[in-house]
């Protein structure tokens, strides 16, 4: 997987998958399947600030693996996983 996306993107994707599972398990996903994950939540995992995180997240968006939306007040980053595309990536099939 890290050959198609950067190692840092693979780490963030893994963290977002874990967050998604937690939110899903607790029935906390939004009606349209989104969950939020803050800069502070990802910083210890990747040791990067907001700007660097956003560049890495953009890589995941460009590879059609996630959708990002900014919602609420105060504004929070919401994510939705594109499960089928992640499975294709994981199992080595073309996106």
């Amino acid at each position: 997987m890290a050959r198609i996306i950067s190692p840092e993107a693979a780490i963030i994707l893994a963290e977002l998958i874990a967050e998604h599972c937690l939110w899903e398990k607790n029935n906390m996903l939004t009606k349209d399947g989104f969950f939020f994950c803050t800069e502070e939540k990802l910083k210890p995992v990747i040791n990067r600030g907001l700007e660097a995180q956003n560049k890495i997240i953009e890589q995941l968006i460009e590879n059609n693996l996630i959708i990002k939306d900014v919602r609420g007040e105060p504004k929070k980053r919401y994510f939705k996983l594109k499960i089928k595309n992640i499975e294709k990536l994981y199992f080595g099939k073309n996106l």
Side-chain angles (χ1 to χ4, degrees):
M1 177 171 20
R3 286 180 269 163
I4 296 170
I5 58 176
S6 72
E8 291 173 323
I11 292 167
I12 285 184
L13 181 59
E15 185 65 23
L16 291 176
I17 291 169
E19 277 296 301
H20 176 270
C21 291
L22 179 66
W23 282 64
E24 185 176 46
K25 177 182 175 185
N26 293 309
N27 293 320
M28 294 172 47
L29 293 174
T30 64
K31 290 181 182 180
D32 53 353
F34 281 81
F35 61 96
F36 75 84
C37 187
T38 64
E39 169 193 2
E40 293 79 20
K41 180 86 172 175
L42 290 178
K43 191 169 186 173
V45 174
I46 198 77
N47 198 26
R48 301 280 189 268
L50 182 61
E51 189 175 323
Q53 286 181 26
N54 283 338
K55 287 180 183 179
I56 297 165
I57 288 166
E58 192 59 38
Q59 194 181 129
L60 296 172
I61 294 167
E62 289 171 1
N63 281 286
N64 206 24
L65 299 171
I66 64 170
I67 300 170
K68 177 184 154 193
D69 195 13
V70 178
R71 301 179 181 184
E73 221 26 73
K75 296 187 184 300
K76 294 180 184 169
R77 298 185 300 188
Y78 278 77
F79 298 96
K80 182 175 183 177
L81 302 180
K82 293 192 163 189
I83 303 293
K84 291 187 188 267
N85 291 347
I86 293 169
E87 288 173 346
K88 288 177 187 177
L89 177 67
Y90 183 76
F91 293 112
K93 299 176 183 174
N94 292 331
L95 291 178

